[in-house]
Amino acid sequence: MPELRSRQKTQNQNDDPALDAHALLAWYDRHARNLPWRVAPHERAKGVQPDPYRVWLSEIMLQQTTVAAVRDYYLKFTTRWPDVAALAAAPLDDVLAAWAGLGYYARARNLHACAQKVAERDGRFPTSADELQALPGIGPYTAAAIAAICYDEPIAVVDGNVERVMARFLALDKPVREVKDDIRSAVQAVVPGRSGDFAQAMMDLGASLCAPRAASCMLCPLQPDCRAAATGQPTDYPVKAVKADRPVRYGHAFVARRADGAVWLTKRPEKGLLAKMAGVPGSDWQDDKTAPAHPISADWKYRGTVVHVFTHFRLELDVWVADTDVQQPFEAGWWSAPKQWPGEALPSLFKKVLATTQK
Ligand code: SF4
C-alpha cells in the first residue's frame, strides 16, 4: 500500500500519489458544511471546542442515514435535552418516542444507556477512541470520529465517504471491502495536526465534490494527484464487488386438477418462507436436484420449470400436473377453481406454478 505524506506533496518509491492534506484543509476552511453540531473551522481556529455530547449525538444519528434526515431530529433532541445529564435523566420511552422515524431502535436504546454511563462520569465523555469504544453503541468509527473532532486525536476516521475518496484517489483496483485496512492505513499516514478538521474535510469532500454518482474533479483540492481523475472516469471507482451468485435450490410442485379445472391448494406451514400463504403441495426445496416422489397415484405430467428468485436463493421448481377425480387427494387443503385464484393468498411463486397449468 502506498505511503502517503501530509506535510508536503511527495512521490514515494512506488510512485504512488501523495494526498495533500494541507490543500484539503485549505479547501475545508473555505467550504466546510454548516452543520448544527459542527464548530466551523474559523471558530475552531479561535479555540472554540466542539461539544462531545453534540458530536456524539450527531454521529449516532447519522449512522445509516443522511444529514438531511438527521438535522431536525438533532435539533429536537438538543432543545429538549441540552446536555448528556438531561438525556440520561429522561425516561427511555420519551427517548424512543423522540427517535421514532429514525429507525434502528437499538441505537436509541444504546444512546440512552450511553448517556447514563457518561452521566455517571459527571457528564464527561472519555477523550480517547479506545475508551470511547467501551461505551454502549459506540463502535470504532464513531469512537474515532468523536476523538478526532473533539480532542484532535490523530486517528483515521474512515466512513463510506472517505473510503470512496481514497479508492478514487489511489484508483484501487479491488472492491473497498477487500482493502479496508489498507485504506485506513493510508489515511492514518496522512492525518495532520488538525486531525478533527481533517476528518471532517474528508467527510465533506465525499459528501460533495466526490459524491457516489458524480465527481467534480475540477473543483477538488486532491485533483492534481488523483489517479481516478486522471483516468477521466473517476466514477468507475471504487471498483464494484462482484455479487456472489445466489445459491440454487430445487424442488417439485404437484398440481392435482379436477375435470372442472379446480386445483388442490394447501396452506403453507406456520413458520418459514411464505408462511401461512396458499400453495400447491410439493417437495422440500433442496440444494440438489432429486427425482419427483409423486404424492398420489396418477398420471403425472411435467409442465415445465418455474424459476423464482428469493433474497437468498434462486428456486427452480419442476411443475407436475395430474388429472384426478379423487375427492380429497391430499390430507389437508381445498379445491380452488381458476376464477377463485385471484382471491386466494397465493404468492407470486405459486401464481407462476398455476400459470403453467393454463398453457
Ligand atoms: S479529484 Fe475527483 S475523483 Fe479524485 S478525489 Fe477529487 S473529486 Fe474525487
Side-chain angles (χ1 to χ4, degrees):
M1 208 43 212
E3 174 197 335
L4 303 176
R5 306 273 178 84
S6 64
R7 302 278 166 194
Q8 58 189 78
K9 290 200 293 185
T10 57
Q11 299 294 120
N12 72 12
Q13 288 170 340
N14 299 323
D15 220 18
D16 282 320
L19 188 152
D20 189 340
H22 289 273
L24 181 66
L25 282 170
W27 171 83
Y28 179 72
D29 288 343
R30 291 193 305 278
H31 300 290
R33 285 179 294 176
N34 184 11
L35 301 173
W37 47 85
R38 176 176 282 176
V39 173
H42 66 275
E43 292 171 331
R44 193 85 173 87
K46 286 187 216 150
V48 178
Q49 295 293 325
D51 178 348
Y53 169 64
R54 289 169 183 250
V55 172
W56 161 74
L57 183 62
S58 67
E59 289 295 340
I60 300 292
M61 287 183 166
L62 283 165
Q63 287 166 13
Q64 286 151 352
T65 189
T66 61
V67 166
V70 159
R71 201 182 283 264
D72 286 351
Y73 282 91
Y74 171 83
L75 294 174
K76 179 168 69 175
F77 266 67
T78 48
T79 302
R80 191 161 172 191
W81 300 298
D83 55 38
V84 72
L87 183 61
L92 175 61
D93 284 348
D94 289 2
V95 176
L96 291 174
W99 189 274
L102 263 180
Y104 301 98
Y105 291 91
R107 280 194 286 144
R109 279 189 284 276
N110 276 331
L111 184 86
H112 191 246
C114 183
Q116 293 186 323
K117 289 269 183 219
V118 176
E120 285 167 13
R121 300 167 41 100
D122 293 331
R124 288 196 307 275
F125 279 82
T127 56
S128 74
D130 277 350
E131 290 172 287
L132 282 158
Q133 265 196 76
L135 291 170
I138 299 188
Y141 165 77
T142 306
I146 298 169
I149 294 170
C150 300
Y151 307 113
D152 270 330
E153 181 172 327
I155 186 169
V157 181
V158 183
D159 65 358
N161 279 335
V162 176
E163 286 173 346
R164 179 174 58 261
V165 170
M166 293 306 290
R168 288 178 180 168
F169 183 74
L170 298 169
L172 297 175
D173 60 4
K174 290 185 180 162
V176 162
R177 69 172 181 219
E178 292 178 32
V179 286
K180 277 180 181 279
D181 288 347
D182 293 336
I183 289 176
R184 178 174 310 284
S185 306
V187 176
Q188 186 63 60
V190 295
V191 173
R194 290 171 60 193
S195 58
D197 282 348
F198 175 72
Q200 294 173 101
M202 289 290 277
M203 293 175 194
D204 281 17
L205 191 73
S208 57
L209 299 184
C210 199
R213 287 185 195 81
S216 305
C217 301
M218 294 313 291
L219 303 173
C220 177
L222 305 186
Q223 184 271 341
D225 305 301
C226 177
R227 281 187 170 162
T231 69
Q233 302 289 339
T235 52
D236 284 356
Y237 300 89
V239 173
K240 290 197 178 48
V242 179
K243 281 201 180 135
D245 284 343
R246 283 190 178 85
V248 182
R249 292 198 195 153
Y250 304 92
H252 299 278
F254 303 112
V255 183
R257 186 170 58 189
R258 225 165 44 183
D260 64 356
V263 302
W264 187 263
L265 297 183
T266 57
K267 191 171 172 193
R268 293 187 49 82
E270 292 288 306
K271 294 211 167 117
L273 211 54
L274 311 178
K276 303 183 191 173
M277 305 288 280
V280 300
S283 68
D284 289 342
W285 302 341
Q286 298 176 327
D287 294 341
D288 298 312
K289 275 197 163 191
T290 54
H294 293 127
I296 56 169
S297 173
D299 182 18
W300 289 100
K301 292 197 172 65
Y302 171 73
R303 294 302 297 257
T305 299
V306 162
V307 175
H308 192 79
V309 178
F310 291 100
T311 311
H312 299 298
F313 65 96
R314 171 186 144 102
L315 177 66
E316 294 188 8
L317 205 54
D318 288 351
V319 182
W320 301 84
V321 178
D323 292 318
T324 178
D325 54 7
V326 175
Q327 278 259 321
Q328 182 167 345
F330 297 91
E331 200 173 314
W334 65 97
W335 287 108
S336 180
K339 65 175 187 302
Q340 295 173 285
W341 296 350
E344 304 280 10
L346 285 163
S348 54
L349 167 65
F350 290 109
K351 286 184 181 149
K352 287 189 207 170
V353 167
L354 293 180
T356 67
T357 70
Q358 302 297 295
K359 289 176 192 160

